[in-house]
Amino acid sequence: AVVGHSQGEIAAAVVAGALTLAEGARVVALRSRALAALSGAGAMASLARPGPEVERWITRFDGRISVAAVNGPRSVVVAGEQAAVVELVALAGANGARARVLPVDYASHSAQVEQVEESLLRSLAGLQPRTGNVPLLSTVTGEWLDTAVMDAEYWYENLRRPVRFADATRTLLDSGHRVFIEASPHPVLTAAIEETAEDKPGNAVVVGTLRRGEGDLRRMYASLAEAWVRGGPVDWARACTAHRPVRVPLPAYPFQRDRYWLRIRDREVPGAPAGPAGTDAWRYRVTWRPVAAGTPAVSSRAALGADGPRRSWLLLVPGATAAQDWSAAFTRVLEHTVAVAVGRDEWGRETLREKIQPTLTEATAGVISLLPLGEGTVPGHPDLPWGIAASVAALQALGDLGLPARLWSVTSGAVSTDVSDPVTAPAQALTWGLGAAAAAEDPAHWGGLIDVPPSPGVGPDDDRLARVAAILAGDGPETEVAVRGSGLLGRRLVRAPLGGSAEGAARAWRPRGS
């Protein structure tokens, strides 16, 4: 099935077979010419708030603003008089909503469009749509459409009436559709589709095609791969015809690995007592040990190569007080830092990608995320800690941007290094779970984890932080570190035998029953 958003519905009509390519191009050109008559008279804005809430806000403007599109449960576009739209955006910001004026000077999908009704109907007269061979779901009606009705009158209604994209998405989900591909020069609606799909059973796959600054075939192949690995059907033979693809064998050498978990055949541990001793080979525990004395306690400037090209670190900083303190501490010991403030409503993947992208260059050494230190929960999700949601989104955003900058996440009180050092922030411990998965699944963008005290003034000094900077800048084995008053501790996985510590410490187990 195909769905088109506003002018995109013209492209959808061509794909469905309702219009020829020439007819579709004619509708685009004549519609744009009609809109030119409205230039300078209006404005449009997007608001990250539920539709009913936006409806309440615009009632105070006495018809000067109307809802132009409902893209998702928390994604609304409004249109109307310029001054009124600017005032509404300010009102939304004062109420804690993310809102921005769009870069257009007309108000489509509003009452202002009625001024061009006659000229648009006249210019599109004689259009002869036909019933297509691909199902089309209209964002004018929110329902399935016989495309033979997509005449001049329909395209006027398409421009005048609000875009019911969220309704169209729900109808597709209810019809069993689970793979959504946004064909556009940059993903705009993927987040709205994902929000709408959250309330429906079954996982939905939502991917884009091209991206801003990435309009080539390489980006298209990457998007096809993203759809395919998430279960979408891709005809690779057809997609890669121009490259004459051939199958290649996997490398013949064995994978190199370190084994930590049980070996069924290795029942006996050398030096362990006989009897219940076989289970000793199966048990492990986590311990913390001082980072080796050989780790260079060098300044971060040396570690980052001050004599070579200037390297920089990106700091992602939430609004928490502890995060601000640690941002200042890292700034003291790192060669060069660029801090990006992340607001409470800016935890999403799209938003973080747009905030991070302008700051990344080939000279970016890595990203230090203080987002786990963020306080509270995600708005609208009282059981989801803000810090873990923002951390996942940051990792996804870095993957989307495709740069090799690695992400290090900073927590405070998320791990216990001994009995005198309890966990004080269990919600932040989720980030250490995320790190374990990220290290295995996305090693190109994952650096490691650092747990710090509540503030830089409690325990570590700049010399210790300089050693942390050396770990960040190096390529050594330390990827899970705790900064404590006693020094730097590294996380280790060791065997945890049941017996051997004292006579009779081993547990006896006798099977009984069926």
Side-chain angles (χ1 to χ4, degrees):
V2 288
V3 176
H5 188 284
S6 189
Q7 181 168 252
E9 196 162 52
I10 305 171
V14 173
V15 173
L19 302 176
T20 65
L21 184 58
E23 289 170 333
R26 177 186 169 209
V27 175
V28 170
L30 296 179
R31 166 189 158 122
S32 300
R33 182 183 299 171
L35 279 174
L38 303 177
S39 180
M44 302 180 74
S46 66
L47 295 88
R49 272 296 188 266
E53 186 175 354
V54 176
E55 290 276 9
R56 289 195 300 272
W57 285 347
I58 66 178
T59 55
R60 68 178 65 188
F61 293 94
D62 299 324
R64 297 163 60 205
I65 302 178
S66 58
V67 172
V70 179
N71 296 329
R74 294 173 295 279
S75 178
V76 177
V77 178
V78 298
E81 297 178 13
Q82 285 184 348
V85 170
V86 172
E87 185 179 345
L88 174 63
V89 169
L91 171 66
N95 283 273
R98 184 159 47 89
R100 65 185 180 94
V101 177
L102 300 178
V104 296
D105 63 350
Y106 55 83
S108 56
H109 308 288
S110 76
Q112 291 189 13
V113 174
E114 294 171 5
Q115 302 173 35
V116 300
E117 177 180 7
E118 184 178 344
S119 63
L120 186 60
L121 291 176
R122 184 170 58 249
S123 63
L124 293 180
L127 193 66
Q128 296 182 333
R130 58 201 65 84
T131 299
N133 52 11
V134 176
L136 183 144
L137 211 155
S138 169
T139 50
V140 176
T141 65
E143 300 173 348
W144 298 104
L145 190 73
D146 181 350
T147 57
V149 305
M150 302 180 90
D151 56 9
E153 182 68 29
Y154 181 87
W155 294 115
Y156 167 72
E157 294 295 330
N158 167 277
L159 186 59
R160 169 62 183 90
R161 292 166 62 176
V163 181
R164 299 176 58 181
F165 188 78
D167 289 342
T169 303
R170 291 188 190 96
T171 301
L172 286 169
L173 289 164
D174 290 340
S175 301
H177 292 80
R178 286 296 180 271
V179 180
F180 293 78
I181 309 292
E182 180 181 347
S184 64
H186 186 76
V188 176
L189 297 166
T190 52
I193 298 171
E194 288 171 344
E195 286 182 357
T196 305
E198 285 179 358
D199 300 329
K200 298 292 183 181
N203 294 327
V205 176
V206 186
V207 298
T209 46
L210 305 179
R211 296 192 186 282
R212 187 180 298 113
E214 299 178 68
D216 56 7
L217 194 58
R218 181 183 181 87
R219 175 68 254 177
M220 191 67 182
Y221 280 139
S223 297
L224 285 172
E226 183 180 357
W228 184 68
V229 298
R230 297 177 63 188
V234 176
D235 185 346
W236 285 111
R238 184 177 179 187
C240 300
T241 298
H243 298 282
R244 298 178 181 176
V246 296
R247 291 184 180 273
V248 295
L250 287 174
Y253 59 82
F255 290 110
Q256 298 170 349
R257 57 169 67 90
D258 291 325
R259 179 177 290 277
Y260 293 105
W261 307 116
L262 64 88
R263 287 180 182 269
I264 298 300
R265 290 188 298 273
D266 295 349
R267 299 274 180 183
E268 299 298 330
V269 179
T279 58
D280 286 354
W282 305 346
R283 302 183 71 252
Y284 295 83
R285 63 182 175 87
V286 168
T287 188
W288 293 85
R289 292 177 178 169
V291 170
T295 301
V298 296
S299 74
S300 58
R301 296 180 181 275
L304 294 175
D307 296 333
R310 187 174 178 83
R311 305 284 282 168
S312 66
W313 283 83
L314 172 64
L315 297 178
L316 301 179
V317 187
T321 302
Q324 303 290 338
D325 293 343
W326 278 104
S327 175
F330 278 113
T331 299
R332 288 199 308 270
V333 298
L334 290 171
E335 170 69 12
H336 179 60
T337 61
V338 177
V340 173
V342 180
R344 181 171 173 77
D345 289 327
E346 297 179 319
W347 59 274
R349 178 177 184 167
E350 284 275 348
T351 303
L352 283 177
R353 183 168 64 230
E354 292 179 2
K355 290 180 77 73
I356 292 173
Q357 186 172 26
T359 67
L360 290 179
T361 68
E362 292 301 323
T364 301
V367 181
I368 301 176
S369 171
L370 302 174
L371 299 180
L373 305 182
E375 299 166 349
T377 58
V378 172
H381 298 275
D383 297 324
L384 178 60
W386 187 93
I388 186 65
S391 297
V392 172
L395 185 60
Q396 292 172 328
L398 282 175
D400 292 343
L401 291 170
L403 289 178
R406 294 179 183 269
L407 175 70
W408 287 80
S409 285
V410 177
T411 61
S412 179
V415 294
S416 170
T417 59
D418 58 41
V419 292
S420 63
D421 179 34
V423 171
T424 57
Q428 294 186 38
L430 295 172
T431 304
W432 285 71
L434 169 66
E441 297 180 8
D442 195 12
H445 298 109
W446 184 251
L449 293 148
I450 303 172
D451 194 76
V452 297
S455 72
V458 181
D461 51 24
D462 279 3
D463 180 64
R464 242 172 243 122
L465 285 177
R467 296 184 70 193
V468 173
I471 291 174
L472 294 173
D475 193 24
E478 301 297 341
T479 59
E480 296 177 319
V481 177
V483 183
R484 297 294 185 263
S486 60
L488 265 60
L489 304 174
R491 192 170 188 258
R492 300 289 186 267
L493 192 68
V494 298
R495 291 191 181 276
L498 283 168
S501 59
E503 186 67 27
R507 299 173 188 168
W509 176 71
R510 293 184 178 86
R512 61 181 181 274
S514 58

